[in-house]
Amino acid sequence: MKVMVSMEEFKGQPRLPKFAVPKRYDIKLKPNLTTCKFAGSVAIELKIVADTSFIVLNAAELSIGTTSVSFTHPAAHSSNSKQQVLKPLKVDVVEEDEILVLNFGDTLPIGLGLLTIHFQGSLNDKMKGFYISTYEHNDEKKNMAVTQFKPDDARRCFPCWDEPACKATFKITLDVPSELVARSNMPIIEEKVVGDLKTVSYQESPIMSTYSVAIVVGLFDYVEHLTSDGVKVRVYCQVGKVNPGKFALDVAVRTLELYEEYFAMPYSLPKLDMVAIPDFAFGSMENYGLVTYCETALLYDVQHSTTADKQRVVIAVAHELAHQWFGNLVTMEWRTHLWLNEGFATWVSYLAADRLFPEWKVWTQFLDDYTEGLGMDGLRESHPIEVKINHASEIDEIIDSISYIKGASVIRMLQSYLGADCFQRSLASYVKNFACSNAKTEDLWDALEEESGEPVNKLMNSWTKQKGYPVVSVKVKYQKLEFEQSRFLASGSHGDGQWIVPITLCCGSYDARKNFLLQTNSETLDMKELMSGESNLASAWVKLNVDQTGFYRVEYDEDLEARLRNAIENKYLSATDRLGILDDSFALCMARQKSFTSFLELLNAYKEELEYTVLSNLIKISYKVDRITADAAPGSSVASFFIELFLHSAMKLGWEPKTGESHLDTMLRGKVLTALAVFGHDLTLKEARRRFLAFLDDRSTPLLHPDIRKAVYVAVMRRVSTSNRFGYESLLRVYRETNSSQEKARILSSLTSSPDPNITLEALNFLLSSEVRTQDAVLGLAVSREGRETAWSWLKFASFEKAEEIQEFFASRTNSKIARTLKQSIERVHINAYWAQSFRIELQNHLAWPFERIEQTYCVIL
């Protein structure tokens, strides 16, 4: 019997056909780290569940011949144990869909069978699939082989059903040079050395998705420790770099134990390896039992790492280990639910960091991410948290701050609404019910709804299935608060949408608090429900979105805004609430819903601000204002305005760390000094040069501790010009001499800070040199205000005429993958242009002085 199905029917489909289901993979790989090639075979135990003469699976950039494929099954209608081996009539690789279509001609028997495929491939340099990373050992350049399969690149290493729902077990065997370390998801059960090669066999894994499979082959040292229940945890680093891995090791052991308690479920594998990879496209990757990281996300070196680097290690480790439960043990059913994995892991990584290091107050720093998510989702070209994926090429477009940060923010909002204990019990139930299987977003909502009794599905659908978020406008009228919601758009234009908004508000005190759901476009609340006393009602401040737990903005009328300014000046409000007022006000100003003059009046309330949470956001705002006002009034600057604003905190912090100072103050010092350097504060530039010269003479000088190096490097570059190249050339020398990836990253992010366009161009060209790893080049693209035109000309030149590798980079990423990103970038350009135009008009209409005098006038305000 023949089944009349055309191969054309498999093309352009969002998912693989369901007539074959993989159960077990037996993978053998032999990478050659000299030729950068690999050979392999895979034997896939699968179950044919529907009539078909085809087997369709994923494969990309692999060489597979017709004679390399066979399908074995027990002979039909036979009483003996003989097996029948079938060869496909035709083997087709559909490159645009990355599928392998095997046409066997006749209908395959229903039931179990074994699909065997032999293949060859290349260890690429694109940091995806099975690829090559380079490192130095004893002054000799060497290669290591690494995998990066998420979201859909396992198919570049072996043919497979490369979809998250197609979970199976994996048995892996590697043939590698005998002197190298070879790690995979599971522990080694046997090593056989024959001459220069060894065959390494690993335990069979529990069921998992293909994107969680991992292999690393190279020269490594490691440090190890056991958890309280005997799980062996190791951190693998380049030879000679194990000491910087010890902090991450300690964090990993403590985090595993924390998560086992939080999820009420033990870690499911016998070991956990974490590996630092020199060339790595992502910050980190949660492969089951073999987590990979870029070096800056895993290694903490007291001599070269900043306090912020240390915190980054904690967040990265906590994020990836959360995936061992939320992603690997319980896996998204389809990529539409990618946000659930990433948003949850982002949220719980802060929860873990807060439990491990409560003195760091990391939830206040989560707001750095939160404001980034609000910025992205304020674009018309945003997308819903849940996006229907119609083709594998669309996946890259949703791996962004909407999936990660907005996802984490709405989970935080929901946890705040339901309560921490209820939320934790619901998660434990969810993990237990869906362990070793797949789940959808609605499955989590159902678990939370069942435990809490709240309408979680209805509430959360308004946040995950439509893009954007509301701005809640509030005004006071006859001692009543009137609320109204509408979609916020950064362009200032009208947007559609309605949300179920968990409103939290305080009136005059954090003790006078009210929570309710805003389920319609408008609502009214009598202030007498919150506080008594006519005089208090007339002057009491009102703060919505307490501690910024809700993913929305707030617009206050003039009366309420004036009360809040007074509350900020008198330090009645928490740092998170001061941040929320600042960020919302600036966003409304950018959207041309608030004048720049009124925004500056609000800034007056922050002149004595000392909190990291607020100042870090204010510094980001200052850079944006500086660039946009430069477009509105070329040749002018608001530098003096912001120097005055930041000097108070700079003088309090000083250059040297103080005994017993907080984690946040230590991080803030470098940010404030960097801002002063960017704006050209003369005393800062002079002191930075003094410390830099001492550092050049003695790399271990206490005058240039890691937390202020970025500020000093930027300050040095602000004085560099074509006629004064000393600082630039000195930084390049430091870059070439150091083996610290964090120090290299710090220098690269400073080199383009010069006001001289010629130096900026030279620094940009350096980014494309062989001295800079591919993933690090982007660090130097944050050029000085004066270098923007140079950078744009350079980018156009480089993209179309410069290096072949740049053209290949863009060619390998189809337009569909970057279409949304390009549209978002263009929209941001329009928003900035409209704001600059509005600002220019405001100057003409309301201020009679030339712009050069305006900054002096504004400084008087401060």
Side-chain angles (χ1 to χ4, degrees), residues 582 586 596 599 603 614-630 637-639 641-643 645-646 671-672 674-676 678-679 785 835:
L582 172 66
F586 180 63
F596 187 65
F599 177 65
L603 288 187
V614 185
L615 278 172
S616 63
N617 185 265
L618 186 52
I619 288 168
K620 286 192 289 188
I621 288 173
S622 74
Y623 294 155
K624 292 178 184 177
V625 170
D626 181 47
R627 289 168 183 260
I628 295 173
T629 53
S637 170
V638 290
F641 173 85
F642 287 113
I643 286 172
L645 192 59
F646 299 137
K671 281 185 174 285
V672 170
T674 300
L676 289 175
V678 167
F679 289 116
R785 184 184 73 173
W835 190 82

Side-chain angles (χ1 to χ4, degrees), residues 209-221:
S209 303
T210 49
Y211 76 81
S212 293
V213 176
I215 295 162
V216 174
V217 181
L219 278 177
F220 294 100
D221 280 345

Side-chain angles (χ1 to χ4, degrees), residues 227-414:
T227 66
S228 57
D229 56 356
V231 175
K232 183 180 289 185
V233 182
R234 287 180 176 178
V235 173
Y236 284 85
C237 317
Q238 290 184 49
V239 174
K241 285 190 175 182
V242 291
N243 282 335
K246 290 179 179 178
F247 177 67
L249 176 66
D250 176 67
V251 170
V253 169
R254 295 167 64 193
T255 302
L256 278 183
E257 294 171 347
L258 171 65
Y259 285 159
E260 287 186 331
E261 178 184 350
Y262 189 80
F263 296 121
M265 177 75 69
Y267 174 65
S268 54
L269 299 185
K271 63 93 174 174
L272 173 71
D273 294 335
M274 304 196 301
V275 188
I277 307 296
D279 299 283
F280 201 75
F282 298 87
S284 46
M285 173 61 203
E286 70 266 21
N287 316 300
Y288 216 172
L290 181 62
V291 185
T292 45
Y293 300 80
C294 67
E295 291 186 329
T296 54
L298 188 65
L299 306 182
Y300 174 71
D301 181 348
V302 175
Q303 188 175 1
H304 294 293
S305 303
T306 65
T307 304
D309 292 331
K310 186 176 187 179
Q311 181 174 298
R312 182 190 180 193
V313 169
V314 174
I315 296 293
V317 169
H319 182 108
E320 302 311 333
L321 297 198
H323 278 308
Q324 305 305 304
W325 284 264
F326 227 89
N328 294 343
L329 186 63
V330 180
T331 309
M332 58 184 173
E333 192 278 333
W334 181 237
R335 293 173 178 116
T336 293
H337 311 286
L338 171 79
W339 83 273
L340 190 58
N341 279 10
E342 298 303 343
F344 181 83
T346 301
W347 171 79
V348 84
S349 67
Y350 279 87
L351 181 144
D354 188 55
R355 297 278 182 90
L356 297 179
F357 301 96
E359 69 278 10
W360 289 4
K361 300 180 181 178
V362 295
W363 279 119
T364 66
Q365 296 159 73
F366 173 79
L367 298 181
D368 285 343
D369 288 343
Y370 164 90
T371 55
E372 180 186 338
L374 287 171
M376 172 72 81
D377 206 30
L379 300 177
R380 190 176 289 279
E381 289 294 340
S382 181
H383 63 81
I385 285 179
E386 286 191 63
V387 178
K388 185 178 180 181
I389 299 297
N390 295 309
H391 196 274
S393 63
E394 300 172 359
I395 299 168
D396 285 351
E397 283 197 74
I398 64 167
I399 301 178
D400 61 9
S401 60
I402 300 299
S403 296
Y404 282 73
I405 299 172
K406 183 181 180 181
S409 297
V410 299
I411 288 171
R412 175 172 173 258
M413 178 172 67
L414 181 60

Side-chain angles (χ1 to χ4, degrees), residues 103-221:
N103 184 351
F104 289 89
D106 292 324
T107 302
L108 299 172
I110 299 293
L112 295 175
L114 185 68
L115 176 66
T116 303
I117 305 174
H118 294 265
F119 52 90
Q120 292 82 40
S122 296
L123 296 169
N124 67 72
D125 59 357
K126 300 174 184 177
M127 293 182 286
K128 64 179 183 179
F130 203 9
Y131 73 92
I132 282 290
S133 176
T134 61
Y135 61 103
E136 285 192 4
H137 179 63
N138 294 334
D139 296 324
E140 181 182 354
K141 185 176 180 180
K142 290 185 175 293
N143 291 334
M144 66 172 69
V146 185
T147 58
Q148 170 58 44
F149 291 162
K150 191 176 181 181
D152 59 348
D153 290 313
R155 63 192 67 179
R156 286 172 170 76
C157 183
F158 58 94
C160 57
W161 275 257
D162 205 7
E163 296 182 356
C166 298
K167 300 179 84 168
T169 62
F170 291 82
K171 179 75 174 71
I172 295 175
T173 304
L174 302 177
D175 287 333
V176 299
S178 56
E179 75 276 10
L180 299 184
V181 173
R183 303 299 292 175
S184 187
N185 305 84
M186 300 298 290
I188 296 171
I189 55 174
E190 185 180 38
E191 282 193 18
K192 289 183 178 179
V193 178
V194 179
D196 294 335
L197 289 178
K198 65 180 176 182
T199 299
V200 186
S201 301
Y202 303 87
Q203 288 181 21
E204 187 164 330
S205 76
I207 67 166
M208 61 183 184
S209 303
T210 49
Y211 76 81
S212 293
V213 176
I215 295 162
V216 174
V217 181
L219 278 177
F220 294 100
D221 280 345

